[in-house]
Amino acid sequence: MKKIILLLFISFNLQSCTKNHTADIAAFTYLPYFTMDVLCQGYDFGPGAGGISINVNLKPGEYPVYWHDAKDGKKYQSINKIKIPENIEYQYVVLHVYANHFVEVQFTNNWPEATEKGKIYRKQNPHNLKINNEY
């Protein structure tokens, strides 16, 4: 019985050591349709056009990412989980959602931008929607 109590105590203490991370968040989508939102941990990372939400308290761990098609509301889920590590020291956490439903997470102190991979995809797929007249 003492061993069980000790294990529970150690487990509780280890969980309480996990540090949440406050960051500004954004998302970029490289999809053939507009998204209403890109969600992770219950937070809306934005419509996928690079808008910023500030001072979001993110929990370390692995999470799936969800988004909705703005036209018909259809819900999608990433084929992978993104990982938010403990004690990250970056101002921005940025999600990049690709057409194959793979999501990449980026940590940066610079203003979030589309990835080179995303820019190439948009140029190679001119039928996709243009965002912010950038491409």
Side-chain angles (χ1 to χ4, degrees):
M1 182 67 168
K2 288 182 183 180
K3 288 182 182 180
I4 293 174
I5 293 173
L6 180 61
L7 287 174
L8 288 172
F9 179 74
I10 290 171
S11 174
F12 176 75
N13 281 337
L14 288 176
Q15 289 176 359
S16 65
C17 291
T18 300
K19 180 182 175 188
N20 291 355
H21 180 71
T22 300
D24 298 340
I25 59 174
F28 288 87
T29 62
Y30 312 103
L31 301 166
Y33 51 86
F34 281 119
T35 56
M36 289 190 303
D37 47 29
V38 177
L39 302 167
C40 181
Q41 293 188 35
Y43 293 111
D44 188 349
F45 276 67
I52 302 288
S53 295
I54 58 171
N55 295 325
V56 176
N57 190 18
L58 299 171
K59 297 176 187 173
E62 291 188 10
Y63 302 94
V65 177
Y66 303 92
W67 61 93
H68 295 87
D69 182 322
K71 184 176 181 181
D72 63 16
K74 184 175 177 181
K75 185 176 180 178
Y76 296 92
Q77 179 179 334
S78 60
I79 61 171
N80 63 309
K81 291 184 177 183
I82 59 129
K83 182 174 182 173
I84 304 293
E86 291 187 35
N87 303 322
I88 55 176
E89 300 296 330
Y90 294 98
Q91 182 176 354
Y92 301 103
V93 176
V94 187
L95 299 181
H96 297 274
V97 181
Y98 297 99
N100 63 356
H101 295 179
F102 180 81
V103 177
E104 182 177 39
V105 64
Q106 175 187 32
F107 305 97
T108 181
N109 286 319
N110 300 320
W111 187 257
E113 295 182 8
T115 62
E116 289 304 313
K117 179 177 166 181
K119 290 177 185 178
I120 291 168
Y121 175 80
R122 286 180 179 165
K123 286 180 183 178
Q124 291 175 346
N125 296 279
H127 63 279
N128 288 356
L129 302 172
K130 309 278 187 218
I131 298 175
N132 295 336
N133 298 318
E134 189 174 324
Y135 304 100

